[in-house]
Amino acid sequence: MNKEIANSYFPLWKVEFIEGVYGRDSGSPWSDPENDIRRYQEVRYLSKKDVDSEFELEYRERTGKAAYGLSQAVITLDRLKMIQGLYPPDIKTVMFSYQGSMFSYKHFDYQEKCIYGECIDGSYNFGEDNSVCVDVVKGHVVCYDEDCIVMYNGKYYFNNALVGTAETINVDYESAQMMYPESVRQEFLKMFPSAKTYKSDIASGSMI
């Protein structure tokens, strides 16, 4: 086998539907076997990186009966393929956006496919604090690198800080999103001389 040609078709994926039983009946008079012993269903997603590697577990999710679980698996598998190589985030990543808020990037759990962060501007409040844990297979997350001017929901962010809004920065917001004309880019370089890139909902590019 020509491994170089064969490896161009990788990674390969495998989906498994697993059923099992967990819990125990303690035997005590107050024990409730119907609640203490349960059946569970789980779908596991495994990938094989190249010809010489073995299938490795990439993701798992609890599900209902096989018919529902395997139909949902088509969607999950497509999403896993879509984000392949995007996570864990690059070492330069400092922020990410999720559900209309911007978060400072803390860490990423590869096995659980979860990204952790803390809301920068207090616009996200779920539970006791502004922290968030997002399953990147289920939730839409966009990551941003260090020294990137980010325009998001009418606000400007730079290196883990909210630095202005469409109202407080005296530049037309629509023009800023495109960094056009050149005078707009020069204006932002005066405010953020260390900026290397910019990113908005409609455009991205270099600042240098």
Side-chain angles (χ1 to χ4, degrees):
M1 178 188 293
N2 186 314
K3 290 186 178 181
E4 183 176 352
I5 295 176
N7 283 334
S8 67
Y9 292 92
F10 285 74
L12 301 180
W13 290 83
K14 179 167 64 173
V15 178
E16 298 177 339
F17 179 81
I18 308 294
E19 286 192 319
V21 175
Y22 69 99
R24 65 186 181 87
D25 181 2
S26 66
S28 61
W30 55 84
S31 180
D32 182 2
E34 290 186 4
N35 291 322
D36 294 341
I37 302 176
R38 303 178 184 180
R39 184 175 69 175
Y40 71 91
Q41 295 85 23
E42 180 179 271
V43 178
R44 298 176 184 174
Y45 304 84
L46 304 95
S47 72
K48 181 177 171 71
K49 301 297 188 296
D50 53 48
V51 172
D52 296 319
S53 64
E54 301 294 330
F55 276 99
E56 296 182 0
L57 181 65
E58 288 280 351
Y59 188 69
R60 62 173 65 187
E61 59 184 345
R62 288 291 182 91
T63 184
K65 295 181 179 179
Y68 172 79
L70 294 178
S71 63
Q72 176 64 32
V74 176
I75 299 173
T76 301
L77 180 60
D78 184 65
R79 177 67 177 161
L80 282 167
K81 290 180 177 180
M82 185 183 304
I83 67 173
Q84 185 80 11
L86 297 179
Y87 300 98
D90 188 90
I91 191 172
K92 296 179 181 179
T93 297
V94 294
M95 302 183 296
F96 66 90
S97 57
Y98 172 68
Q99 289 190 346
S101 296
M102 189 69 65
F103 298 84
S104 58
Y105 169 61
K106 298 305 182 183
H107 66 96
F108 184 80
D109 186 320
Y110 188 85
Q111 184 175 4
E112 298 295 330
K113 297 292 187 293
C114 286
I115 190 169
Y116 292 80
E118 186 172 335
C119 188
I120 292 172
D121 58 13
S123 62
Y124 183 92
N125 192 346
F126 186 79
E128 298 180 356
D129 54 31
N130 289 330
S131 63
V132 70
C133 167
V134 185
D135 182 334
V136 297
V137 180
K138 305 298 184 183
H140 181 67
V141 170
V142 178
C143 294
Y144 306 96
D145 288 347
E146 185 179 20
D147 297 330
C148 177
I149 300 171
V150 179
M151 288 148 275
Y152 185 71
N153 275 358
K155 299 177 181 179
Y156 295 91
Y157 299 88
F158 189 71
N159 289 350
N160 278 334
L162 172 65
V163 294
T165 67
E167 292 76 26
T168 61
I169 289 184
N170 191 29
V171 179
D172 178 69
Y173 189 71
E174 298 300 323
S175 299
Q177 286 189 304
M178 297 293 294
M179 282 295 164
Y180 183 84
E182 175 64 16
S183 59
V184 170
R185 190 176 72 89
Q186 291 301 325
E187 187 66 28
F188 275 95
L189 283 174
K190 290 178 184 178
M191 291 185 281
F192 310 105
S194 64
K196 295 182 175 63
T197 58
Y198 73 91
K199 191 166 187 177
S200 70
D201 293 332
I202 58 177
S204 62
S206 174
M207 292 294 291
I208 56 179

